[in-house]
């Protein structure tokens, strides 16, 4: 889950040098990661397989550019896979064009994530067998996601959506 104040939540995994998935990246995300992981925080960011942004509210995405800068500063780093609403992709491309250092990312819309080859490959490397998404009741283009792990557990995430029937229906598929 995701706590207030820009904290992020995630799923660990392994293999291929990638070790996690981050749900939402508010302004304080990098600081939260540094408090949690200390000196290893930069490596945690560099090892992320995917970042899922549930919707375009600032407290869910403003920390993403800093994560992209940190990850892209390492020579040979693979572009970060970012899944989010359409407007986030536009915003990221515009922000990236104005930065002093280039940032590398691959953007996928939340609604297309379950069928996207790169997203499917990333979640498999994290030990998950499938990902599905659904629109949720919040601002425009808000999304919830469900992941099924190969060890039998599942996860449903929606940011801070209002209650809606589609989310528990998605969770029942786990």
């Amino acid at each position: 889950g995701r706590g207030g104040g820009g904290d992020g939540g995630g799923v660990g995994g392994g293999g291929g040098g990638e070790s996690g998935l981050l749900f939402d990246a508010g302004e304080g995300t990098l600081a939260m990661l540094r408090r949690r992981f200390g000196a290893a925080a930069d490596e945690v960011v560099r090892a992320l397989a995917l970042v899922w942004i549930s919707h375009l509210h600032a407290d869910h995405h403003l920390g993403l550019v800093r994560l992209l800068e940190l990850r892209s500063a390492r020579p040979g780093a693979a572009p970060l896979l970012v899944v989010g609403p359409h407007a986030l992709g536009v915003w990221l491309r515009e922000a990236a064009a104005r930065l002093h250092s280039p940032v590398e990312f691959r953007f996928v819309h939340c609604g297309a994530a379950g069928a996207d080859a790169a997203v499917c490959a990333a979640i498999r490397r994290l030990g998950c067998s499938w990902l599905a998404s659904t629109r949720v009741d919040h601002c425009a283009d808000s999304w919830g996601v469900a992941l099924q792990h190969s060890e039998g557990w599942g996860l449903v995430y929606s940011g801070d959506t209002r209650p809606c029937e589609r989310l528990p229906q998605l969770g029942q598929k786990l």
Side-chain angles (χ1 to χ4, degrees), residues 19-42:
S19 61
L21 180 148
L22 186 68
F23 294 100
D24 287 333
E27 190 172 21
T29 298
L30 184 56
M32 184 271 307
L33 290 170
R34 287 187 170 148
R35 282 190 305 273
R36 168 65 179 87
F37 295 105
D42 290 2

Side-chain angles (χ1 to χ4, degrees), residues 128-152:
C128 296
S129 54
W130 64 264
L131 174 148
S133 60
T134 188
R135 288 188 181 271
V136 293
D137 296 337
H138 197 49
C139 60
D141 207 13
S142 294
W143 292 83
V145 61
L147 288 166
Q148 179 68 55
H149 196 273
S150 59
E151 292 179 358

Side-chain angles (χ1 to χ4, degrees), residues 54-69:
S54 61
H55 63 283
L56 203 57
H57 286 168
D59 63 327
H60 291 256
H61 76 85
L62 279 186
L64 184 56
V65 169
R66 184 65 189 111
L67 298 177
L68 289 170
E69 287 177 320

Side-chain angles (χ1 to χ4, degrees), residues 15-169:
E18 294 176 332
S19 61
L21 180 148
L22 186 68
F23 294 100
D24 287 333
E27 190 172 21
T29 298
L30 184 56
M32 184 271 307
L33 290 170
R34 287 187 170 148
R35 282 190 305 273
R36 168 65 179 87
F37 295 105
D42 290 2
E43 284 306 312
V44 169
V45 171
R46 289 182 183 116
L48 285 172
L50 185 147
V51 175
W52 175 279
I53 305 295
S54 61
H55 63 283
L56 203 57
H57 286 168
D59 63 327
H60 291 256
H61 76 85
L62 279 186
L64 184 56
V65 169
R66 184 65 189 111
L67 298 177
L68 289 170
E69 287 177 320
L70 179 63
R71 181 169 171 128
S72 297
R74 173 181 240 165
L80 182 58
L81 187 54
V82 176
V83 179
H86 283 294
L88 178 69
V90 173
W91 182 83
L92 279 176
R93 286 186 287 279
E94 289 176 0
R98 290 170 175 76
L99 295 173
H100 295 290
S101 300
V103 294
E104 298 291 327
F105 63 92
R106 181 177 184 282
F107 181 80
V108 177
H109 182 262
C110 294
D116 183 83
V119 171
C120 292
I123 66 161
R124 279 193 304 274
R125 286 191 303 273
L126 294 172
C128 296
S129 54
W130 64 264
L131 174 148
S133 60
T134 188
R135 288 188 181 271
V136 293
D137 296 337
H138 197 49
C139 60
D141 207 13
S142 294
W143 292 83
V145 61
L147 288 166
Q148 179 68 55
H149 196 273
S150 59
E151 292 179 358
W153 57 267
L155 177 143
V156 178
Y157 178 79
S158 68
D160 50 12
T161 182
R162 292 185 302 275
C164 63
E165 285 300 313
R166 290 177 303 282
L167 200 60
Q169 289 170 354

